[in-house]
Amino acid sequence: MRIKDYKSVINLSNELRQINDVDILLERILFEARKVVGADAGSIYVTTHENQQEKLLIKYSQNDTLQKNLLPGEKLIFSVFTVDINVRSISGCCAYKKKILNIADVYNIPKEAPYAFSDSYDKKSGYKTESVMAVPLTAPSGKLLGVMQLINNKDDSGNIITFSNDDKFLIEHFSSSASEVLYRAYATRSMILRMIKMSELRDPKETGAHVKRVSAYTGELYQKWAERRDIPKAEISKQKDLIKVASLLHDVGKVAISDTILKKPARFTEEEYLIMQKHTLHGAELFSDPQSPEDIMAAEISLTHHENWDGTGYPNKIAGEDIPISGRIVALADVFDALSSKRVYKEAWEEKAVLKEIRAVSGTKFDPELVDIFFEILPDINQLKSLYPELPE
């Protein structure tokens, strides 16, 4: 059912304000925008910097037609790439001019138009793009946040049609409100990442890209775990948002650990290892006066993400389902990323070795059900991994 009235757009904007995680918000913005105008597909890009140049990075791609060919719960996998911000491409031109582009048929773009359409995705997927509306997402200050592309508007009979002036009107209002909410979410993430930066200055293992990847993996693992339990979709969405934001701070307690231990290039002594373990307690203590659900969960994750399924972890040696699901999930996400990533003291493990290790410690270190889920959604995990590469040194 298509939403075609201004009141509904306002209600949607109010719903978006309840979301704090940037990635969940981006995916939801794209989904709801497509719903507003009846678009069969779409993609959303965010601004990023590559070689000291501002570019667009694709974050999400959605396609109802192609999704029907997937198994239930399976997600559409797409290539991760960047786009130059200039007039030569549709999304780049939209970003460059900060204006909506409404194109009736991308295979018949007027010769005077400065941009062109690349049919590489169509050839690869077997999907034909026709009508496109590209929409800039800008902060209240005018700063470009990204670009949303809505693809193949459909009428009630399923025929592809051009996006109308009414569609443009609705999307202008929706994107304005959505951009404001997105800007707020970016501000929240920026504040959290500043705390992470403090940890990164102390501990070279704790990078911004690492915690973003852990957060992303955590969200997907939680969603699949919750779906297995038939938890209502609204509750899954709420808790996924919560756990993704809180998991960003899983190791923030390391700021209280001495440099002589934190940056030691050799194996810890038994005494040093016991001191290092206290970062879980220090992290939980930072949230001892909780002001929000995020604070409560951040404390829970900080305290329990080094507990082991068999009770041999730390700091409290709790086991099995006595470990909160948030801690069990972050434990798996954190170790997977640590093993997969290059650090100053080690090279990244080969994927085959990482996966072998995770299977080997299922039922001892990790919740075996979560390990099963991890391998079930491994294509999604690898997709997320590609979205948050380490910045070059």
Side-chain angles (χ1 to χ4, degrees):
M1 179 179 179
R2 295 171 60 179
I3 302 172
K4 282 287 190 180
D5 63 322
Y6 186 57
K7 183 178 179 180
S8 295
V9 170
I10 294 173
N11 291 337
L12 278 174
S13 300
N14 291 333
E15 285 182 30
L16 294 177
R17 294 179 193 280
Q18 307 305 311
I19 301 172
N20 292 310
D21 180 76
V22 170
D23 295 322
I24 291 177
L25 187 56
L26 286 165
E27 193 170 16
R28 180 72 183 275
I29 286 171
L30 178 58
F31 175 80
E32 297 295 354
R34 292 197 304 112
K35 191 176 175 183
V36 164
V37 295
D40 181 56
S43 53
I44 195 163
Y45 302 77
V46 298
T47 54
T48 188
H49 285 85
E50 186 179 280
N51 299 324
Q52 299 183 326
Q53 279 189 315
E54 189 173 50
K55 295 192 175 188
L56 295 175
L57 169 70
I58 189 167
K59 289 292 288 189
Y60 290 100
S61 180
Q62 299 169 1
N63 189 308
D64 288 347
T65 295
L66 295 181
Q67 187 68 41
K68 291 174 184 176
N69 298 325
L70 303 179
L71 296 172
E74 192 176 354
K75 291 195 172 184
L76 189 69
I77 301 298
F78 57 92
S79 299
V80 177
F81 59 90
T82 58
V83 176
D84 291 335
I85 297 178
N86 56 40
V87 297
R88 291 193 287 273
S89 68
I90 295 172
S91 56
C93 185
C94 173
Y96 183 79
K97 294 189 174 183
K98 294 182 183 178
K99 290 184 178 180
I100 291 179
L101 298 179
N102 191 5
I103 304 166
D105 183 355
V106 294
Y107 284 90
N108 289 287
I109 294 174
K111 292 182 180 180
E112 63 271 18
Y115 49 81
F117 171 71
S118 171
D119 63 357
S120 58
Y121 176 78
D122 283 10
K123 288 180 177 178
K124 185 183 297 185
S125 65
Y127 181 84
K128 187 180 180 185
T129 302
E130 293 186 36
S131 58
V132 168
M133 182 157 57
V135 186
L137 301 172
T138 56
S141 64
K143 174 182 170 64
L144 180 71
L145 301 177
V147 167
M148 179 168 55
Q149 281 194 148
L150 306 175
I151 298 169
N152 287 355
N153 190 17
K154 288 190 172 183
D155 62 19
D156 294 334
S157 299
N159 301 308
I160 296 175
I161 57 174
T162 304
F163 291 97
S164 68
N165 288 332
D166 285 345
D167 293 329
K168 183 180 177 183
F169 172 80
L170 287 170
I171 285 299
E172 279 181 321
H173 285 275
F174 175 78
S175 62
S176 177
S177 298
S179 296
E180 185 180 339
V181 175
L182 183 60
Y183 178 73
R184 175 187 58 78
Y186 270 123
T188 300
R189 173 175 276 195
S190 178
M191 184 166 56
I192 292 172
L193 290 178
R194 284 191 180 96
M195 294 180 68
I196 303 303
K197 190 67 176 177
M198 289 191 302
S199 297
E200 187 177 343
L201 291 171
R202 302 284 319 289
D203 180 7
K205 299 185 293 295
E206 198 67 8
T207 68
H210 165 68
V211 296
K212 288 177 184 177
R213 289 192 299 267
V214 169
S215 171
Y217 306 153
T218 294
E220 294 307 302
L221 287 165
Y222 170 76
Q223 180 172 330
K224 184 61 69 172
W225 176 89
E227 287 172 350
R228 284 187 171 198
R229 283 154 178 76
D230 294 323
I231 294 174
K233 288 185 178 181
E235 182 64 17
I236 292 177
S237 180
K238 178 181 177 181
Q239 291 300 316
K240 181 179 178 181
D241 179 49
L242 188 61
I243 196 171
K244 286 196 67 185
V245 172
S247 63
L248 288 167
L249 294 160
H250 66 278
D251 267 344
V252 72
K254 287 183 178 179
V255 297
I257 303 300
S258 165
D259 276 357
T260 58
I261 295 175
L262 203 59
K263 297 182 178 180
K264 184 178 179 180
R267 183 182 293 274
F268 293 145
T269 65
E270 185 175 343
E271 182 181 2
E272 288 169 338
Y273 184 54
L274 289 173
I275 293 172
M276 185 63 182
Q277 291 179 6
K278 291 182 180 178
H279 80 274
T280 56
L281 300 168
H282 294 313
E285 181 64 24
L286 287 171
F287 305 100
S288 60
D289 181 26
Q291 303 297 314
S292 68
E294 286 81 5
D295 286 351
I296 294 170
M297 186 168 284
E300 180 179 270
I301 289 172
S302 294
L303 188 63
T304 64
H305 76 284
H306 281 291
E307 299 288 0
N308 292 338
W309 183 254
D310 65 359
T312 61
Y314 63 86
N316 295 316
K317 297 190 180 302
I318 54 178
E321 293 187 356
D322 287 341
I323 307 169
I325 186 59
S326 61
R328 279 141 56 196
I329 290 175
V330 172
L332 176 53
D334 188 28
V335 170
F336 169 72
D337 194 68
L339 295 178
S340 303
S341 304
K342 180 180 178 180
R343 293 290 179 261
V344 292
Y345 57 90
K346 76 171 187 73
E347 293 297 318
W349 286 24
E350 294 287 338
E351 182 184 43
K352 185 177 180 180
V354 174
L355 300 181
K356 181 179 179 180
E357 175 67 13
I358 288 174
R359 281 205 186 277
V361 295
S362 175
T364 54
K365 186 171 184 62
F366 302 132
D367 177 344
E369 181 187 8
L370 289 177
V371 172
D372 289 344
I373 290 172
F374 172 85
F375 281 97
E376 183 181 333
I377 64 169
L378 188 57
D380 300 326
I381 295 291
N382 286 327
Q383 171 93 77
L384 293 168
K385 183 180 177 182
S386 67
L387 287 171
Y388 300 105
E390 294 289 344
L391 294 176
E393 297 177 0

